[in-house]
Amino acid sequence: TVAAAALQQRGLQCRIVEKQQFPRFVIGESLLPRCMEHFEEVGLLDTLKAQNYQVKTGARFIRDGKICWFDFSEKYSKGWNWTWQVPRAHFDKVLADAVEERGVPISYNTAVTNVEMFGTDSITTVVLPDGSEEKISAKFIIDASGYGRVLPRLFNLDKPSNMPPRKAVFGHFEDKNRPEGPDGEKITFVITRRDIWTWIIPFSNGISSVGFVGNPDFFKQYEQEDTDAYLRAMMMDIPVIKNRFENMPFALDAKKMEAYAVSATQLYGPGYVITGNSSEFIDPVFSSGVTFATESGLLGAKLVARALDGEEINWQKEYVDHMVQGVETFRTYVNSWYDGALQDIFFYTHADANQDIKRKICSVLAGYVWDETNPFVTEKRDRALDSISKLIKVLD
């Protein structure tokens, strides 16, 4: 929808083809401040503000009873200091309705079955809700199909992710025991063990999302056919979660995801560009999914507009290299999180009040992974994290 809004702003005709019917559930309920710039640029920010979603001003991490809080207003990079926690079914429908009201047609319950490329032109075959076929001609295709991965699937562009396989089990609950004030509004990450963590994401409608993520071996001890009971069994072993959600009814049945990391061999070609989760998805731990989707969608749309205007676009430099910079930065942090080094840095910087390190890491957590004035974003980021981790071990 961000890409469609950007194209519509530039006077280009576009059409959205969507396999599902909105509203529909999708994971990725915690946004990052970076994506607020995207919503503002394409004129969708006021529409979203009117929804009164839960404001997110940072992220709280809990390990062994200790709390580490990252406040986005104290980050190193310039930019937005807040964002939202959103029920994605509602959020995505609001955005879709907004671009549709601007004149962008959306075909729901419409599946893509084939794409033929003729240079930069294309014909896309879709199956409509009544079962009939339609062929859509286009000068350019932006694939924002997420886990559907339409073009990677049709063009054999899928490739195995280099991330270890992990698993997630999650659901929505009524949150009647939510703490009063800011503590009840904060997104919380509870570290169960180094390779297992749990999220609590409160929404403004009184519902909260709860999920477990990590090494698949951890889940075997709880696994059972009833996924709701499966999730509840895990929740009852975490005191901070049990005290808040015991006996709370489900607002959305529990769901499972396994080996969710994905990648693609290439992100563009004559007449198409691949964006968001269609191109790459790493891990939900730092809530990067929506930010990558809006960053890539907006950038891709701008480049498409220039290409259709006759300009020669260096897609590798202007699109791929830019997106890879952000993906690889987050990949570094995700890997460091699961090996425990980043967790140690989080709690050390909090306890020891090393504000310079904390501010620069906070910028990454806020989604400012393209600010190369930040040494924790550049190619030396691995070395920076490794050096701090080793120093902590010496000091401890």
Side-chain angles (χ1 to χ4, degrees):
T1 52
V2 168
L7 292 172
Q8 191 268 347
Q9 277 184 333
R10 289 157 176 77
L12 294 171
Q13 289 186 326
C14 62
R15 174 177 172 182
I16 297 175
V17 175
E18 168 58 50
K19 186 176 182 180
Q20 295 181 296
Q21 178 65 52
F22 281 23
R24 55 85 181 95
F25 172 81
V26 67
I27 197 170
E29 301 154 327
S30 175
L31 311 185
L32 301 183
R34 169 72 177 184
C35 67
M36 303 295 276
E37 299 174 13
H38 308 144
F39 300 136
E40 184 174 37
E41 183 172 340
V42 299
L44 293 171
L45 190 60
D46 287 343
T47 297
L48 292 174
K49 283 183 175 179
Q51 308 308 311
N52 294 314
Y53 293 125
Q54 177 59 59
V55 170
K56 174 184 173 183
T57 59
R60 174 173 56 184
F61 299 85
I62 300 176
R63 185 179 74 173
D64 298 330
K66 297 179 180 178
I67 297 175
C68 173
W69 168 250
F70 283 90
D71 187 330
F72 292 146
S73 68
E74 297 174 355
K75 68 185 184 307
Y76 167 83
S77 303
K78 294 180 180 178
W80 282 75
N81 293 333
W82 63 275
T83 184
W84 289 296
Q85 293 151 195
V86 298
R88 280 291 300 277
H90 186 275
F91 176 79
D92 290 355
K93 182 67 162 60
V94 166
L95 289 175
D97 288 349
V99 297
E100 197 168 26
E101 288 170 6
R102 296 182 183 187
V104 177
I106 302 178
S107 300
Y108 291 108
N109 291 321
T110 301
V112 175
T113 57
N114 190 47
V115 175
E116 299 173 90
M117 304 300 304
F118 306 96
T120 56
D121 292 340
S122 66
I123 295 179
T124 298
T125 303
V126 301
V127 177
L128 301 173
D130 64 4
S132 63
E133 282 192 347
E134 180 185 0
K135 294 187 182 295
I136 303 171
S137 298
K139 292 290 185 183
F140 218 101
I141 297 173
I142 298 178
D143 183 352
S145 57
Y147 288 111
R149 299 176 61 76
V150 172
L151 291 188
R153 174 173 47 84
L154 291 177
F155 293 171
N156 295 315
L157 302 179
D158 276 320
K159 74 173 183 180
S161 172
N162 59 10
M163 302 296 289
R166 297 193 174 98
K167 184 171 182 174
V169 180
F170 49 91
H172 289 178
F173 295 86
E174 293 184 18
D175 195 0
K176 296 178 181 178
N177 295 328
R178 181 179 296 181
E180 296 290 334
D183 280 352
E185 300 170 349
K186 293 175 179 177
I187 181 173
T188 301
F189 300 83
V190 182
I191 301 167
T192 304
R193 68 185 202 195
R194 284 185 180 268
D195 59 350
I196 297 293
W197 59 277
T198 304
W199 77 64
I200 304 172
I201 304 175
F203 305 135
S204 58
N205 60 4
I207 303 299
S208 285
S209 177
V210 180
F212 284 73
V213 186
N215 189 324
D217 288 344
F218 167 82
F219 295 86
K220 292 178 181 177
Q221 61 187 305
Y222 298 99
E223 198 157 9
Q224 49 190 293
E225 187 173 341
D226 184 334
T227 310
D228 287 1
Y230 181 9
L231 175 56
R232 279 199 187 276
M234 289 188 287
M235 293 170 63
M236 294 306 101
D237 277 352
I238 311 298
V240 67
I241 296 176
K242 178 181 179 180
N243 293 340
R244 182 161 166 177
F245 294 101
E246 188 173 19
N247 299 321
M248 289 295 105
F250 277 89
L252 175 74
D253 291 343
K255 301 180 182 299
K256 296 185 289 187
M257 290 177 60
E258 298 187 58
Y260 45 70
V262 292
S263 191
T265 57
Q266 63 187 62
L267 303 185
Y268 70 96
Y272 72 87
V273 62
I274 300 173
T275 69
N277 289 351
S278 295
S279 61
E280 186 99 23
F281 181 76
I282 305 172
D283 196 89
V285 64
F286 298 125
S287 307
S288 61
V290 174
T291 298
F292 280 132
T294 56
E295 181 84 24
S296 59
L298 178 55
L299 177 58
K302 290 178 178 178
L303 295 174
V304 167
R306 287 168 49 194
L308 293 177
D309 200 35
E311 187 175 341
E312 189 71 27
I313 305 297
N314 186 332
W315 284 93
Q316 180 64 42
K317 180 178 180 180
E318 296 189 61
Y319 183 75
V320 176
D321 291 352
H322 177 80
M323 293 310 304
V324 166
Q325 157 67 33
V327 168
E328 292 306 315
T329 297
F330 267 113
R331 194 190 310 278
T332 296
Y333 281 75
V334 169
N335 287 334
S336 184
W337 169 268
Y338 281 106
D339 71 24
L342 188 62
Q343 297 176 29
D344 292 341
I345 292 170
F346 278 14
F347 286 89
Y348 178 81
T349 56
H350 179 76
D352 199 52
N354 189 326
Q355 292 304 309
D356 184 56
I357 293 173
K358 190 171 183 181
R359 286 175 59 242
K360 289 171 179 174
I361 291 177
C362 188
S363 285
V364 174
L365 301 185
Y368 289 91
V369 290
W370 292 276
D371 177 8
E372 296 195 52
T373 68
N374 184 351
F376 288 82
V377 165
T378 65
E379 291 181 359
K380 297 180 180 179
R381 58 187 174 266
D382 301 74
R383 191 182 312 167
L385 292 176
D386 185 58
S387 297
I388 296 169
S389 178
K390 288 178 179 176
L391 178 61
I392 289 172
K393 290 177 181 177
V394 171
L395 294 174
D396 284 349

